[in-house]
Amino acid sequence: MRPLAAHIDLDALRHNYQLACSCAPQSRSVAVIKADAYGHGALACAQALEADVPAFAVACIEEALALRAGGIKKPIILLEGIFSAEELALVDQHEFWISVHSEWQVAALLAFSPRQPIPVWLKVDSGMHRLGFSPEEAPSVWQRLANAPQVTALHLMSHFATADAREGSYFNQQMVVLKRLAEQLNAPLCLANSPATLAWPTAHGDWNRPGVMLYGSDPLEVANEVTQQLRPVMSLRSEIIALRELGIGEQVGYGGRWRAERRSRIAVVAAGYGDGYDRHAVDGTPVLVNGKRCAIAGKVSMDMLTVDVTDIPEATIGSEVVLWGASSDGTVLPIDEVARYCDTISYTLLTGVLPRVPRHYHGARI
Ligand SMILES: *Cc1c(COP(=O)(O)O)cnc(C)c1O
């Protein structure tokens, strides 16, 4: 059997969720489990968290329906709301909460007769210029929704463009606009994603929306004392399937990108871009072999990648290789570090792990 698997530590997920809550004890934290829980398996993650969380957040109704079909009973908010008016019947039937970001969604909602009022989070564009009503439009939309029998538990929601950056001037500018609006409307707020949950207490609202930190990734430019306590949830592990000795000047892989500058020992690992491992990984991208750091040597192939194990003489066929996350001896290779070598972010690596990689679940299934 091919040795590659994504090991999912559900105890680490629960630990990270508690950390998110401890950052913002006055807020309730929605667990964001969109995109199949950032590649970790939405249903398994929801089951592990359901006893602890007040609600879950997903991107769309398809994701929410899959959770209900799996037996998840807690409230589920659709972060982008409905994609067509027909979805409102399912929203009503399954008691989903919705965000409302556009006039056509308001019109569809006000033309609909739900069995019971629908909890609505009105999305305001505070300067990211992606989804939401402008701060100038928001008050009149708010009033229409507040007066509508179709609507209950109305909240203001917004999203920050720069909460991960250390420098806070744009963030603070967005905050001033939002606080003013919330005061004017006497509106409960839901603003903070993971970086804002971790680093910007002024953004903590009645609700927060941590996502990536639940999976153990540190979204901040500069780690803080909380992010240092995050535990990786996904550990992508494989094994060495072949070894070879190279002389000085010999090359490895497609295009011969890597060349031996000394007598070298190269390990072939069963993992490649056909599994979602990023082909942009440069020579020097770290991996763990038997818990020890070594480096990718040569371009990533579809089903394999190659690693320089010259300095790990005990490396042998079957040795454990960790692409990110924890090795079985507990050594951690942070996914954020791997992402930097791939010129990307942990979010794309996690959501990019393809279906052919089996997920193995460990720890509390509550
Ligand atoms: C994905 C998402 C989040 C979670 O963001 P993280 O950076 O993963 O914490 C929060 N809010 C909205 C609207 C989102 O789409």
Side-chain angles (χ1 to χ4, degrees):
M1 201 170 71
R2 194 161 178 255
L4 178 66
H7 295 265
I8 311 292
D9 180 350
L10 297 171
D11 290 334
L13 178 69
R14 298 183 71 217
H15 165 85
N16 297 336
Y17 178 76
Q18 292 307 330
L19 270 183
C21 295
S22 72
C23 294
Q26 313 300 327
S27 309
R28 285 190 285 175
S29 288
V30 185
V32 179
I33 55 170
K34 64 188 178 187
D36 203 24
Y38 293 49
H40 293 69
L43 184 56
C45 291
Q47 286 166 342
L49 289 172
E50 186 162 27
D52 302 333
V53 304
F56 294 106
V58 296
C60 58
I61 201 160
E62 290 83 354
E63 294 180 342
L65 289 170
L67 292 171
R68 282 281 184 270
I72 298 299
K73 305 255 180 322
K74 281 276 166 80
I76 303 172
I77 168 122
L78 313 183
L79 289 171
E80 288 152 48
I82 53 169
F83 288 77
S84 69
E86 295 76 65
E87 292 178 10
L88 284 169
L90 288 168
V91 166
D92 187 29
Q93 182 187 340
H94 295 278
E95 301 182 22
F96 298 141
W97 304 359
I98 55 173
S99 100
V100 167
H101 60 72
S102 291
E103 178 56 36
W104 75 263
Q105 291 178 323
V106 177
L109 182 56
L110 299 186
F112 180 67
S113 307
R115 298 176 307 173
Q116 67 268 315
I118 297 171
V120 172
W121 292 12
L122 176 61
K123 184 131 187 187
V124 180
D125 174 14
S126 56
M128 187 162 179
H129 300 136
R130 199 175 57 179
L131 287 183
F133 294 93
S134 72
E136 295 71 39
E137 297 167 314
S140 74
V141 182
W142 177 274
Q143 291 310 337
R144 283 160 66 210
L145 292 171
N147 294 331
Q150 293 90 341
V151 174
T152 187
L154 190 56
H155 283 66
L156 264 192
M157 170 187 178
S158 193
H159 199 63
F160 297 108
T162 59
D164 54 339
R166 181 185 237 176
E167 200 283 311
S169 58
Y170 195 66
F171 170 87
N172 287 323
Q173 224 173 298
Q174 285 189 271
M175 254 341 280
V176 169
V177 172
L178 289 165
K179 287 269 146 111
R180 197 185 300 139
L181 196 58
E183 267 167 39
Q184 179 191 345
L185 301 172
N186 197 19
L189 279 173
C190 177
L191 308 177
N193 56 0
S194 297
T197 299
L198 286 160
W200 301 104
T202 53
H204 296 170
D206 299 75
W207 292 87
N208 293 334
R209 304 186 307 272
V212 81
M213 71 174 290
L214 306 181
Y215 308 100
S217 162
D218 178 353
L220 300 181
E221 262 178 16
V222 183
N224 69 19
E225 63 285 355
V226 180
T227 61
Q228 282 160 11
Q229 298 171 54
L230 291 169
R231 283 163 43 188
V233 176
M234 183 192 290
S235 298
L236 188 61
R237 293 192 201 142
S238 187
E239 290 179 3
I240 294 177
I241 60 168
L243 280 158
R244 63 206 338 90
E245 310 275 343
L246 295 190
I248 293 170
E250 290 191 291
Q251 62 184 42
V252 175
Y254 288 114
R257 184 179 72 183
W258 189 88
R259 257 171 211 282
E261 289 174 2
R262 56 175 177 168
R263 286 174 56 84
S264 301
R265 203 155 161 258
I266 295 294
V268 181
V269 178
Y273 64 79
D275 304 299
Y277 190 88
D278 197 321
R279 189 176 167 279
H280 297 101
V282 295
D283 291 335
T285 303
V287 305
L288 300 176
V289 172
N290 285 346
K292 293 192 179 137
R293 274 178 179 256
C294 50
I296 285 196
K299 282 185 185 168
V300 173
S301 307
M302 187 183 286
D303 312 308
M304 287 170 275
L305 53 80
T306 39
V307 177
D308 180 358
V309 293
T310 314
D311 298 325
I312 307 181
E314 70 274 24
T316 181
I317 307 272
S319 290
E320 180 188 81
V321 179
V322 171
L323 287 323
W324 62 68
S327 69
S328 41
D329 72 3
T331 313
V332 171
L333 175 59
I335 190 168
D336 303 292
E337 193 181 334
V338 177
R340 282 191 285 276
Y341 279 89
C342 300
D343 193 21
T344 187
I345 53 178
S346 63
Y347 302 69
T348 69
L349 297 184
L350 291 171
T351 56
V353 176
L354 292 166
R356 89 164 173 185
V357 179
R359 270 67 168 173
H360 293 175
Y361 291 94
H362 307 273
R365 286 237 211 190
I366 309 300

